[in-house]
Amino acid sequence: QKEVEQDPGPLSVPEGAIVSLNCTYSNSAFQYFMWYRQYSRKGPELLMYTYSSGNKEDGRFTAQVDKSSKYISLFIRDSQPSDSATYLCSGGYQKVTFGTGTKLQVIP
Amino acid sequence: GAGVSQTPSNKVTEKGKYVELRCDPISGHTALYWYRQSLGQGPEFLIYFQGTGAADDSGLPNDRFFAVRPEGSVSTLKIQRTERGDSAVYLCASSLKAGGPPDTQYFGPGTRLTVL
């Protein structure tokens, strides 16, 4: 079993839709949870991180962590075609464990 | 300022050959990380450096893989006796420091290694 499980998609949504991306994890030691965005043939870039359980909002993006169920979510409001990318959830500290990534396509 | 740079961007080699992949971190970043990303997968941790020393090399798959960072800046990932299964994108990241709340890791564009 992978430490971080993520549905690879692809996920296609119309522009303006609310997108929900989800992951589960198995390592109870994880305290920090991160979401990265990766465009094709580029390195990942950090979108946001959350410490322990709770919500964090940054513009159109909201990250949620529920440690009791080991569930990680990212919500994107008013999705834009420029949001089309692969989204990677991850847990850990310096040694970060990534999920497979979910490929998102936002259709104009 | 300049981001993390990696050279070469592409490397094609034959099975059994030796390769070196280079990473130039962001100036002033003391922590440096190597990951490997296979097609359709997320990055897989290999090793990270704090300064010149390898703080955690538990992700290196076997003794054919070795990484150095002799002066605490540029790092080289070395792969001996390459195998076809080593084909992947090798990503390097750097952060300002390690050992506190997660410091943002800034990733380079990666080196795409193909072993024929």
Side-chain angles (χ1 to χ4, degrees):
Chain A
Q1 180 192 8
K2 290 187 176 182
E3 283 191 306
V4 180
E5 298 274 4
Q6 185 174 11
D7 186 336
L11 179 63
S12 290
V13 301
E15 182 176 354
I18 296 174
V19 176
S20 172
L21 303 170
N22 306 293
C23 296
T24 57
Y25 68 94
S26 59
N27 190 334
S28 299
F30 285 163
Q31 293 289 337
Y32 291 96
F33 304 89
M34 286 76 71
W35 283 95
Y36 286 81
R37 178 173 60 195
Q38 186 173 27
Y39 293 110
S40 182
R41 295 200 170 245
K42 302 285 187 184
E45 58 177 331
L46 180 67
L47 274 176
M48 53 200 308
Y49 78 85
T50 318
Y51 174 72
S52 194
S53 284
N55 294 2
K56 189 171 186 179
E57 188 173 324
D58 184 1
R60 296 184 294 111
F61 298 87
T62 300
Q64 286 185 352
V65 175
D66 182 345
K67 292 197 75 178
S68 63
S69 60
K70 295 189 172 66
Y71 203 77
I72 312 166
S73 300
L74 179 71
F75 299 95
I76 308 174
R77 292 184 298 281
D78 187 25
S79 56
Q80 302 295 309
S82 59
D83 295 330
S84 299
T86 295
Y87 289 80
L88 298 153
C89 62
S90 62
Y93 205 62
Q94 286 87 23
K95 179 182 175 180
V96 175
T97 302
F98 287 87
T100 307
T102 299
K103 188 170 185 178
L104 171 69
Q105 183 178 18
V106 180
I107 301 168
Chain B
V4 176
S5 63
Q6 292 186 247
T7 54
S9 54
N10 283 283
K11 176 71 177 179
V12 180
T13 191
E14 294 180 344
K15 181 176 178 296
K17 299 289 188 183
Y18 168 82
V19 295
E20 289 190 352
L21 311 179
R22 176 186 167 110
C23 173
D24 275 274
I26 294 172
S27 177
H29 280 193
T30 62
L32 185 146
Y33 311 78
W34 284 99
Y35 295 85
R36 177 170 69 175
Q37 187 171 24
S38 299
L39 192 64
Q41 301 296 314
E44 173 192 10
F45 171 84
L46 296 177
I47 184 172
Y48 93 87
F49 291 87
Q50 178 59 51
T52 60
D56 186 339
D57 65 357
S58 61
L60 295 177
N62 51 59
D63 61 6
R64 295 187 297 106
F65 289 74
F66 190 70
V68 295
R69 195 186 185 200
E71 297 177 0
S73 178
V74 170
S75 177
T76 305
L77 179 65
K78 308 180 181 196
I79 310 174
Q80 297 178 322
R81 304 183 303 280
T82 52
E83 299 178 357
R84 292 193 180 90
D86 298 335
S87 296
V89 175
Y90 288 81
L91 293 164
C92 175
S94 70
S95 69
L96 195 56
K97 60 174 175 62
D103 220 6
T104 301
Q105 293 186 24
Y106 295 89
F107 281 82
T111 293
R112 186 174 299 272
L113 176 66
T114 303
V115 182
L116 301 176

